[in-house]
Each structure stands twice: as structure tokens, then as C-alpha cells.
Amino acid sequence: MLAKKPPVTLQQAIIYFSDPDTCLAAMVRFRWPDGVIKCPTCGSLKVGFIRSRMVWECAEKHAKRQFSVKIGTIMEDSAIKLDKWLVAMWLIANAKNGISSYELAKAIGVTQKSAWFMLHRIRLAMQGEDGGRMGGYVEVDETYIGGKARFMSGERKRRLAAQRPFGGKTPVFGVLERAPETGVSRVKTVVMGTPKRLKKAAMQALVRDKVETGSTVNSDALKSYIGLEGEYIHKVIDHANAYAVGTVHTNGLENYWSLLKRMLKGTYVSVEPFHLFRYLDEQAFRFNTRKLSDAARFSLTAASIFGKRLTFKELTAADATC
């Protein structure tokens, strides 16, 4: 007998979503929380359900009268059934260090290529709204994503060494908002890309874009941050002398960078720079929702798939330009 209560563990989720009717009912709840099903084309409430095909048909006369629950979501035009999609969402939302496309392919019974495409589409759902600027006590820092030269072959090492100043690595800027009253800090990250983005003007523009004026900003001794004192309470920790002096530190972001790199190096191994922002979105989503239960984190992911779409052509377009 299938479980009737919503799942709270992976085992329960696999059993719960093994029933097509349960999958459809769950997606209807996520898409139409009020229970009123509307035509995605015209918004009409006059729709009828065709059970043999698990689709609805609008009574109004227009193109695309028939629609499924996948229309207008990250799953649009996917032949993969809902049971696999929902389990995949549960896995990536709750795997602390992510899940590789090879592992997901074996777990749900699809090809590695399909699993890779599914994961990127789910990451799009995890890509939250900007949420406004951060305030209060804030940490800013930067890190560099890429392989270590000592592990590379001679030819590749020489080629990347010529790519100054980062040696082929991709700089990433991060902002962490402390929340001493709740104990749940949150983070935002941005791929910086080119050396020009690390110039003083560009770095400070990022801080102004992400942090409310008047906030307390903690940074390391990077010279690019000099000059923030006029708009912020700027406190500097020089890592050559100490890593923390009272509340002046960037240890929160340093912790986040270690979690991010553990995911990238341990699970995904090699991430192309043009896809890096997608993996940053994935890790930021899990970090910012770390106090939620697995079920709540899954529900938040599943409720965010609507109004978003990523085609395979769009996903691989960057490959052709590199």
C-alpha cells in the first residue's frame, strides 16, 4: 500500500512518488495551490481532464488547448516521467555535497546525458530571486575556482600560468549576511570572470549593489576594499596577523568557500567556467535553507520550477563559444 502522508525521507519519497496519480496530484498542489486549474495559454477555468493522457483540455478555441502539468516549467518537452523528476529534485536538494550526473543516472534509470540536463534544469529552479540587498553585519570576500597547477601536466601548466593574474582560475565574489538573532546566515555569490572585475571600482560597485548603505562590512586586507568607509562601517581583518579579532572576521564566508569547494572538487571534479554560476546557485540554495527539513527543502525546490525553462541548445551554447 502506498504511503498517504507526504514523505519526510528519501525512502518514503521513492515509494510515495512511484504512483503516477500521486505525482500528478503533488504537481497540481505545487502549481495551483488554491486547487483551481487554469489554462496556461488563456487563463480560462473551463478545462477538462483527459485521464488516458494525463493532460487537460481548455474549452476555449485557441492553439495549444491541451496542456500537461509540465507546460511552463523546467520539465517542459521532457519525456522523462514525473516520478523520476521528483526523486531527482529530492536528491539534489538534500545531498550536502551535490550529486553527479553519473550517480543520478544510475539511481533513477536514465542516461548520463539526460541526468546532466535534468540537474542543470533543477539548478535553474534553485536559482532564487535576488531578495534585495543584505544589511546589518556583512562579510565580503573573494575566492578562486579551478585546478591546482601542481596536479596538471607540463603543457597545461604552462598554458594556464600565462593566463595572468589568476592562472586559469575563475574569481568568485561572495557576500554573507550574519543573523545573530536567528543563527541562520545567508549568502550570495557572483562569478567575476575577467581580471577587470577585480579592480577597485568594480569590487566596490559589487559591494554597493549587494549591501545596504550603513551596514557593517567586514573584509580582509585586499586593497580593492579601501574607500568603503564613507558609506559603510568598514572593518578590516589582516590575515597576515590574525583570522579574527572579536566580531571582526570573514570566517563565515571562509566556511562557505570550503563547503563550495568540497562540493566542486569532491562531486563534480571539473566545472567549466561558463557553467560555474549554476553550481554556485545550487550550493547557495542548500546553504541558505540548511535549517529546513529535507521535505521542506524539496517542496521549496518543486514549487520554484514554474515559469522557468532551459533548453538543451541554450545550455550547450556556451560550449560552442569557448
Side-chain angles (χ1 to χ4, degrees):
M1 181 179 292
L2 295 176
K4 297 299 182 183
K5 294 182 179 179
V8 295
T9 66
L10 174 59
Q11 181 191 30
Q12 292 175 2
I14 293 172
I15 298 172
Y16 186 82
F17 293 124
S18 63
D19 178 24
D21 290 335
T22 303
C23 291
L24 184 62
M27 291 306 302
V28 168
R29 287 196 301 272
F30 287 127
R31 181 160 194 166
W32 297 288
D34 57 2
V36 180
I37 299 173
K38 302 176 183 178
C39 173
T41 302
C42 69
S44 174
L45 302 181
K46 298 178 180 179
V47 299
F49 186 59
I50 305 174
R51 182 165 184 78
S52 61
R53 299 182 54 224
M54 301 292 255
V55 299
W56 289 266
E57 184 173 76
C58 180
E60 303 296 333
K61 303 297 182 181
H62 57 72
K64 299 182 180 180
R65 292 173 58 198
Q66 293 188 359
F67 60 93
S68 73
V69 76
K70 292 181 178 179
I71 295 295
T73 73
I74 62 170
M75 301 181 292
E76 186 168 339
D77 289 339
S78 172
I80 297 172
K81 295 183 178 180
L82 289 176
D83 60 340
K84 296 181 186 293
W85 270 107
L86 293 172
V87 170
M89 289 181 203
W90 188 289
L91 285 169
I92 189 173
N94 297 309
K96 185 174 181 180
N97 291 320
I99 180 170
S100 72
S101 57
Y102 280 94
E103 187 174 354
L104 180 64
K106 290 190 294 182
I108 64 174
V110 297
T111 65
Q112 183 273 331
K113 183 177 179 180
S114 293
W116 181 80
F117 190 22
M118 291 174 72
L119 287 172
H120 276 305
R121 287 194 274 186
I122 297 171
R123 290 185 186 107
L124 177 62
M126 291 174 152
Q127 188 181 94
E129 302 297 329
D130 184 70
R133 294 191 293 175
M134 295 183 168
Y137 289 88
V138 175
E139 301 174 20
V140 296
D141 194 27
E142 67 291 327
T143 192
Y144 302 88
I145 305 297
K148 295 183 182 294
R150 66 175 181 269
F151 298 132
M152 299 178 185
S153 65
E155 181 182 352
R156 189 180 183 194
K157 186 186 299 186
R158 288 191 295 271
R159 175 166 51 84
L160 292 181
Q163 299 179 21
R164 299 295 182 184
F166 308 129
K169 294 190 176 185
T170 303
V172 175
F173 175 78
V175 182
L176 181 140
E177 180 184 66
R178 297 179 190 172
E181 63 283 351
T182 63
V184 185
S185 56
R186 62 190 183 106
V187 71
K188 292 182 181 180
T189 52
V190 179
V191 178
M192 304 192 68
T194 64
K196 291 182 179 180
R197 295 292 300 276
L198 279 185
K199 298 291 185 180
K200 181 177 181 179
M203 292 283 285
Q204 295 194 10
L206 274 174
V207 174
R208 295 186 186 98
D209 181 57
K210 302 296 181 185
V211 183
E212 293 178 356
T213 303
S215 301
T216 299
V217 176
N218 289 357
S219 75
D220 57 21
L222 184 69
K223 292 183 179 180
S224 295
Y225 296 120
I226 297 176
L228 292 174
E229 294 79 6
E231 301 170 68
Y232 302 97
I233 303 172
H234 185 206
K235 298 184 178 181
V236 177
I237 182 71
D238 188 348
H239 290 161
N241 301 319
Y243 282 94
V245 178
T247 59
V248 182
H249 61 79
T250 59
N251 291 344
L253 260 180
E254 297 291 351
N255 169 66
Y256 178 74
W257 294 142
S258 70
L259 295 174
L260 173 66
K261 291 181 179 180
R262 187 181 305 159
M263 176 193 76
L264 294 176
K265 295 178 182 178
T267 302
Y268 299 122
V269 183
S270 179
V271 174
E272 294 292 347
F274 45 80
H275 288 313
L276 179 58
F277 75 96
R278 307 183 195 279
Y279 295 90
L280 297 181
D281 292 337
E282 174 191 343
Q283 183 65 12
F285 173 85
R286 280 196 299 265
F287 182 83
N288 293 337
T289 59
R290 63 193 181 278
K291 296 298 183 180
L292 297 180
S293 66
D294 286 1
R297 197 177 299 108
F298 160 76
S299 295
L300 186 58
T301 304
S304 302
I305 67 173
F306 306 104
K308 301 176 181 179
R309 192 178 179 199
L310 178 65
T311 66
F312 193 76
K313 183 177 181 180
E314 292 170 339
L315 181 60
T316 56
D319 296 359
T321 60
C322 293

